[in-house]
C-alpha cells in the first residue's frame, strides 16, 4: 500500500494537474462511466464534529475509493486545520487498499479546479475582470486557478467580514493583476466572471446586480440551507453543475428548484460540455452559472494523480498491508 502524506502534497501536485484530472472525471460522469455513491455526513456527538465520507468509482480510470473526514471546529486551538480529510483508494480488481493520501490541500485544489474548468468552458473569451465574493481559506485557491483561464486585467472583491482581503490581494499581486475591494453593485456591474466562495445561508448577490454575459461559479453552497445568490439569478441563467442530484439537494440550485424557478431537467452537467455533447455558452449575452457542489470522484481523481506523481518521482512511501 502506498502512503502519500499531507506534507508531501504541496510541491508534488500542481493546480494544473488537478484541473486535468477533474476535467477528465467530469466528462466520465456525464458519460455515466463514473458514478458517485450516496454521501454520508453525520454529527458524531463528540468535539462538535461533523464527519462523513464521499465515495465513487470511475470505470475509465478504475479510481475506486472514498474521502473520509469532516469539520472539527476546535482544531484551530490545537494548531490544526478545522477541515480534515483523507482519501483511501482501492484496487478495483481486488478490493485491496491501494493508497492512503492526505486530502486537505487536495480538497482546496480540486474545488478550485472545478470552478476553473467552468470558467475555461463557459466564460466569454474576452472576459477581463474577475469578481471574488468571499475571502476565506478557499478563496485564494479559487482566484489562483481562475486567473489561469483568461487574460484577466483586474480583480475585484467583496467580503462580509472586512479585513480578510490579504489572501486575495497577495494572489493578485503574484499574478501582477491590480486588486480592488468594492461593493456588490460595482462588482456585479464590472465583473465578467464572478466566483462565490462563502459560508453564507442567505443570498448575497442579487439577479439585478449581474449583467448579461457574466459567468458565475457558485462554489460555497455544499449543504442544505446554504445560499450565495438570489434564486432569480438561476432562473435568468443557463445553469451547469458537477452533478445534478447534488445541485438540487445541497447545491446553489436547491432554492430555485424548490421555488419552481428552475427545473431539474434544465440543469446541465459540465461534463457534457467537456465531452462535446452540449454547446455550453451559446451567446455573448447569456448568463452562465456553474453550481459547484463538490463530488467524491473529484477527490479520487486528484488523489490518484498524487499517487501516480509520487510513484513517478520516487516519493511514494510503500508499506506492507
Ligand atoms: P472560511 O471559513 O475560510 O471562509 C468563509 C468565508 O465566508 C469568508 O469569506 C467569510 O467572510 C464568509 N462568510 C461567513 N459567513 C458568511 C455569511 N453569513 N454571509 C456571507 N459571507 C459569509 O471557509 P472556506 O474554507 O473558504 O470555505 C468557504 C465555503 O466553501 C464553505 O461554505 C465551504 O463549505 C465551501 N466549500 C465548498 C466546496 C465545494 O466543493 N463546493 C469545497 C470546499 C469548501
Amino acid at each position: 500500500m502506498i502512503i502519500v502524506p499531507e506534507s508531501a502534497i504541496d510541491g508534488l501536485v500542481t493546480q494544473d494537474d488537478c484541473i486535468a484530472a477533474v476535467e477528465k472525471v467530469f466528462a466520465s460522469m456525464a458519460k455515466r462511466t463514473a458514478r458517485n455513491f450516496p454521501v454520508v455526513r453525520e454529527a458524531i456527538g463528540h468535539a462538535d464534529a461533523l464527519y462523513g465520507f464521499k465515495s465513487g468509482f470511475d470505470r475509465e480510470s478504475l479510481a475506486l475509493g472514498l474521502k473520509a473526514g469532516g469539520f472539527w471546529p476546535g482544531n484551530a486551538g490545537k494548531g490544526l486545520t478545522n477541515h480534515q480529510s483523507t482519501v483511501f483508494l482501492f484496487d478495483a480488481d481486488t478490493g485491496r487498499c491501494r493508497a492512503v493520501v492526505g486530502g486537505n490541500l487536495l480538497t482546496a485544489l480540486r474545488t478550485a479546479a472545478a470552478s476553473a474548468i467552468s470558467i475555461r468552458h463557459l466564460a466569454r473569451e474576452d472576459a477581463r475582470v474577475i469578481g471574488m465574493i468571499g475571502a476565506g481559506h478557499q478563496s485564494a485557491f479559487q482566484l489562483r486557478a481562475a486567473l489561469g483561464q483568461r487574460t484577466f486585467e483586474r480583480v475585484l472583491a467583496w467580503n462580509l467580514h472586512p479585513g480578510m482581503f490579504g489572501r486575495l490581494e497577495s494572489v493578485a499581486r503574484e499574478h501582477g493583476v491590480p486588486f480592488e475591494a468594492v461593493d456588490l453593485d460595482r462588482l456585479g456591474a464590472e465583473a465578467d466572471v464572478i466566483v462565490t466562495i462563502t459560508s453564507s445561508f442567505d443570498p448575497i448577490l442579487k439577479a439585478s446586480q449581474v449583467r448579461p454575459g457574466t459567468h458565475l461559479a457558485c462554489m460555497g453552497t455544499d449543504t442544505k440551507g446554504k445560499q450565495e445568490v438570489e434564486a432569480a439569478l438561476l432562473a435568468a441563467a443557463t445553469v451547469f453543475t458537477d452533478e445534478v442530484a447534488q445541485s438540487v439537494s445541497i447545491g446553489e440550485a436547491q432554492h430555485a428548484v424548490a421555488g419552481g424557478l428552475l427545473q431539474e431537467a434544465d440543469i446541465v452537467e459540465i461534463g457534457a460540455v467537456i465531452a462535446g455533447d452540449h454547446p455550453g455558452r451559446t451567446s455573448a449575452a447569456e448568463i452562465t452559472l456553474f453550481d459547484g457542489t463538490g463530488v467524491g470522484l473529484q477527490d479520487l481523481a486528484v488523489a490518484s494523480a498524487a499517487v501516480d506523481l509520487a510513484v513517478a518521482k520516487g516519493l511514494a512511501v510503500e508499506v506492507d498491508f
Side-chain angles (χ1 to χ4, degrees):
M1 184 181 81
I2 292 165
I3 299 174
V4 186
E6 185 66 44
S7 58
I9 302 294
D10 195 14
L12 175 66
V13 190
T14 65
Q15 183 65 72
D16 283 347
D17 294 330
C18 292
I19 290 174
V22 171
E23 198 169 44
K24 225 170 162 179
V25 81
F26 278 169
S28 300
M29 282 164 55
K31 285 186 272 167
R32 304 293 177 253
T33 51
R35 184 162 76 89
N36 292 290
F37 304 147
V39 175
V40 171
R41 196 164 164 86
E42 297 286 336
I44 60 171
H46 176 77
D48 285 333
L50 278 176
Y51 165 80
F53 52 87
K54 290 185 165 183
S55 61
F57 179 47
D58 180 354
R59 274 193 282 133
E60 291 190 30
S61 69
L62 298 186
L64 172 69
L66 60 91
K67 179 171 85 170
F71 185 66
W72 272 258
N75 273 6
K78 300 172 185 163
L80 298 168
T81 349
N82 289 352
H83 290 274
Q84 288 293 329
S85 61
T86 308
V87 182
F88 295 82
L89 297 173
F90 299 94
D91 184 324
D93 294 315
T94 62
R96 282 171 60 86
C97 188
R98 181 178 164 238
V100 178
V101 185
N104 293 352
L105 177 56
L106 283 180
T107 297
L109 293 172
R110 66 79 145 144
T111 306
S115 60
I117 288 165
S118 82
I119 295 167
R120 176 180 287 181
H121 289 277
L122 298 171
R124 294 188 336 265
E125 285 298 333
D126 64 353
R128 293 292 175 265
V129 181
I130 181 161
M132 298 295 303
I133 295 182
H137 177 70
Q138 302 293 332
S139 68
F141 295 90
Q142 292 284 322
L143 179 58
R144 197 174 286 117
L147 286 174
Q149 306 309 314
R150 291 290 184 273
T151 314
F152 288 112
E153 293 169 353
R154 279 190 299 141
V155 178
L156 305 178
W158 178 91
N159 196 55
L160 179 69
H161 305 101
M164 284 181 69
F165 291 115
R167 290 184 180 95
L168 292 175
E169 274 184 290
S170 66
V171 173
R173 206 176 312 118
E174 266 168 39
H175 287 76
V177 183
F179 174 90
E180 198 180 348
V182 296
D183 63 26
L184 286 168
D185 282 337
R186 252 197 79 192
L187 189 143
E190 295 181 25
D192 302 305
V193 170
I194 298 175
V195 176
T196 63
I197 184 76
T198 73
S199 314
S200 178
F201 278 81
D202 298 297
I204 299 168
L205 191 65
K206 296 192 187 76
S208 59
Q209 289 171 311
V210 174
R211 59 181 180 159
T214 303
H215 172 68
L216 297 105
C218 296
M219 304 304 297
T221 300
D222 56 0
T223 306
K224 199 168 170 51
K226 279 189 185 171
Q227 186 171 9
E228 299 190 289
V229 303
E230 202 178 25
L233 182 53
L234 283 89
T238 308
V239 180
F240 299 82
T241 190
D242 40 25
E243 187 183 84
V244 173
Q246 286 205 169
S247 173
V248 302
S249 56
I250 59 167
E252 195 59 41
Q254 62 182 291
H255 308 284
V257 169
L261 296 171
L262 176 70
Q263 301 305 310
E264 181 172 336
D266 291 333
I267 303 174
V268 181
E269 287 187 8
I270 186 108
V273 181
I274 297 166
D277 296 329
H278 186 282
R281 167 179 293 277
T282 53
S283 82
E286 185 176 7
I287 295 174
T288 51
L289 186 149
F290 175 67
D291 181 5
T293 65
V295 294
L297 281 167
Q298 273 172 270
D299 298 301
L300 304 189
V302 296
S304 299
V307 171
D308 292 348
L309 285 162
V311 169
K313 294 183 180 178
L315 297 172
V317 180
E318 286 208 55
V319 293
D320 270 339
F321 183 70

